[in-house]
Amino acid sequence: MTPEDKKRNAAEAAIDYVKPGSTIGVGTGSTVNHFIDLLGEKMQGKVNSAVSSSEASSERLRSHGIKVVDLNEVGELDLYVDGADESNHQLQLIKGGGGALTREKIVAAASAVFVCIADESKLVTTLGAFPLPVEVVPMARGLVIGALQGLGGDPRLREGFVTDNGNQILDVHGLQIDDPIDMEIRINQIVGVVCVGLFAHRPADVLILGGEDGIRSIQA
Ligand code: 5RP
């Protein structure tokens, strides 16, 4: 089974969480792209609309005839489906490999249930092998780099990348994140940080993993 098959299987299992007539939150990335395509194939005309976490996902949703709405128009969402770069067994996540972490965190915070979809390689014991993305206001970049180094990390600018919000991303290497909630709080306190891609305060509620033998789900 290829990695894409595993992602698609996880995405297909998440379709069961979608209630006909609902407005759902939709994340970003290659696994979510499978989910969007499956929404188009299996839920055509059944999903009312979606709140999207990126311009790329918005475009893909629209290409399937799914209406994209502003979060301010709809308030709380029943369901958010998104991928992850890493998950620990408490379903605390590293996200932002695609650079959409800020909008992803906003949509996750607005959603009653967060279903995370991934291939099985994303499940880890300790977060941090995947470089932690941090979105920063460009003028504060130097200041934030110094503060992240003070936390023991090795922040590197994601070259040639601008977020949908007009900001930059620092990918922080070398962190072993033993206490994800504490690390999320510490990084959020650095002036100039827009968002950190640690989803520990608001973890996923369900993790669906695609593997060689099909899918398995872990509940928080
Ligand atoms: C984008 C994300 C993605 O969910 C994460 O990078 C996983 O992507 P993929 O499904 O392509 O492995 O956080 O900002």
Side-chain angles (χ1 to χ4, degrees):
M1 199 178 288
T2 68
E4 288 310 309
D5 291 333
K6 294 177 187 175
K7 291 179 196 180
R8 188 173 164 96
N9 286 344
E12 190 157 22
I15 291 285
D16 289 344
Y17 287 82
V18 180
K19 289 191 204 129
S22 62
T23 296
I24 61 169
V26 175
T28 299
S30 57
T31 317
V32 166
N33 283 345
H34 287 296
F35 176 73
I36 295 171
D37 294 346
L38 286 159
L39 278 179
E41 286 168 30
K42 294 177 179 272
M43 302 289 289
Q44 195 57 255
K46 293 189 192 152
V47 173
N48 188 33
S49 52
V51 172
S52 167
S53 69
S54 65
E55 300 302 327
S57 289
S58 297
E59 199 176 304
R60 200 171 188 107
L61 284 159
R62 289 193 191 102
S63 77
H64 286 288
I66 299 167
K67 190 176 160 199
V68 176
V69 292
D70 190 304
L71 180 61
N72 294 303
E73 289 173 32
V74 291
E76 178 143 321
L77 300 164
D78 292 340
L79 175 68
Y80 180 50
V81 177
D82 198 359
D85 299 300
E86 281 184 350
S87 173
N88 65 17
H89 291 263
Q90 290 72 45
L91 310 195
Q92 297 167 316
L93 312 171
I94 287 184
K95 291 186 45 51
L101 59 155
T102 300
R103 296 188 190 187
E104 291 173 341
K105 201 175 260 195
I106 292 167
V107 184
S111 300
V113 176
F114 176 4
V115 174
C116 183
I117 52 177
D119 73 80
E120 62 189 353
S121 69
K122 305 288 182 75
L123 184 64
V124 298
T125 305
T126 306
L127 299 174
F130 189 92
L132 178 64
V134 178
E135 181 166 349
V136 294
V137 174
M139 73 168 286
R141 191 179 60 236
L143 207 60
V144 176
I145 286 173
L148 290 169
Q149 286 168 338
L151 292 176
D154 170 17
R156 301 183 202 164
L157 179 65
R158 197 177 293 182
E159 296 284 350
F161 186 85
V162 177
T163 71
D164 285 347
N165 311 309
N167 296 313
Q168 292 175 315
I169 298 279
L170 297 173
D171 291 304
V172 189
H173 296 247
L175 289 176
Q176 181 180 313
I177 306 173
D178 293 317
D179 185 342
I181 290 180
D182 181 63
M183 184 63 83
E184 186 176 11
I185 291 169
R186 284 172 188 267
I187 296 178
N188 274 334
Q189 282 173 343
I190 301 169
V191 174
V193 167
V194 176
C195 187
V196 54
L198 254 182
F199 286 52
H201 180 72
R202 201 284 178 246
D205 300 299
V206 180
L207 174 64
I208 303 176
L209 292 170
E212 283 300 331
D213 303 324
I215 56 127
R216 68 182 165 120
S217 294
I218 303 174
Q219 308 277 336

